[in-house]
Amino acid sequence: MGWQMITAPDSAQYKLRETAGMNFDDEGFGIIAGRYVIACTTTFGSVGDYIDFFLADGTVLPCVIGDIKSEGDANWMPYGHATGANGLSVIEFVVDKQSWYGSGHANPGTASCHPEWAQQIVSASRVGSFDGSGTQDIGGLSSCSSAIVHAQLTR
């Protein structure tokens, strides 16, 4: 999702971006306080919350919620959006629209963009917030893997 696509001045997403600044790393990923800016469901927290996603090999994806996945979407589920027969998009990275859109940039977790992220997510923890509030373990992610992060659904 392009960070420039957040345009509603009264939204928490817009206010966070304006307060924190619209910063990107060298690859065009949105960054706040050294954390990747993501979109996810409210299962994980609210806009501005710091969430660490733990991958099976111990890798930690330090994230900050910059947008919330819409519960109004037909494919919405508590942990993300259903994709395909057994997929689940748990997180979406917020990126620089200018450098990602139309450029053919590969998705995270693929062979040419952070292939080390294409593995199981074992847990997630809320570790603070841009506004300084507390922490909590989220858990419940034993079947999740990362790419734009996908998981296997058990139906």
Side-chain angles (χ1 to χ4, degrees):
M1 167 187 162
W3 212 350
Q4 296 89 334
M5 297 170 70
I6 297 172
T7 59
D10 291 338
S11 70
Q13 296 88 327
Y14 188 93
K15 290 174 183 173
L16 175 67
R17 185 187 70 198
E18 292 302 299
T19 302
M22 188 167 51
N23 303 301
F24 302 102
D25 69 5
D26 293 343
E27 295 178 275
F29 287 99
I31 298 290
I32 292 176
R35 297 178 160 276
Y36 294 106
V37 182
I38 62 161
C40 63
T41 67
T42 56
T43 298
F44 300 103
S46 302
V47 169
D49 286 345
Y50 294 162
I51 310 297
D52 284 348
F53 287 92
F54 295 87
L55 304 182
D57 72 354
T59 298
V60 178
L61 290 177
C63 300
V64 57
I65 299 174
D67 196 18
I68 300 296
K69 290 180 177 253
S70 175
E71 291 184 26
D73 290 349
N75 62 341
W76 183 90
M77 300 183 79
Y79 288 104
H81 286 135
T83 60
N86 292 317
L88 182 68
S89 173
V90 177
I91 67 173
E92 295 173 41
F93 290 92
V94 175
V95 298
D96 177 20
K97 182 179 176 187
Q98 311 319 97
S99 64
W100 278 62
Y101 283 48
S103 70
H105 199 293
N107 282 328
T110 61
S112 58
C113 183
H114 292 283
E116 70 277 13
W117 293 350
Q119 59 180 300
Q120 294 292 313
I121 292 177
V122 295
S123 66
S125 292
R126 182 173 179 256
V127 295
S129 182
F130 186 74
D131 69 6
S133 59
T135 66
Q136 77 182 61
D137 286 333
I138 297 159
L141 297 173
S142 61
S143 67
C144 295
S145 64
S146 145
I148 293 186
V149 183
H150 287 85
Q152 292 295 332
L153 296 177
T154 306
R155 297 184 193 248

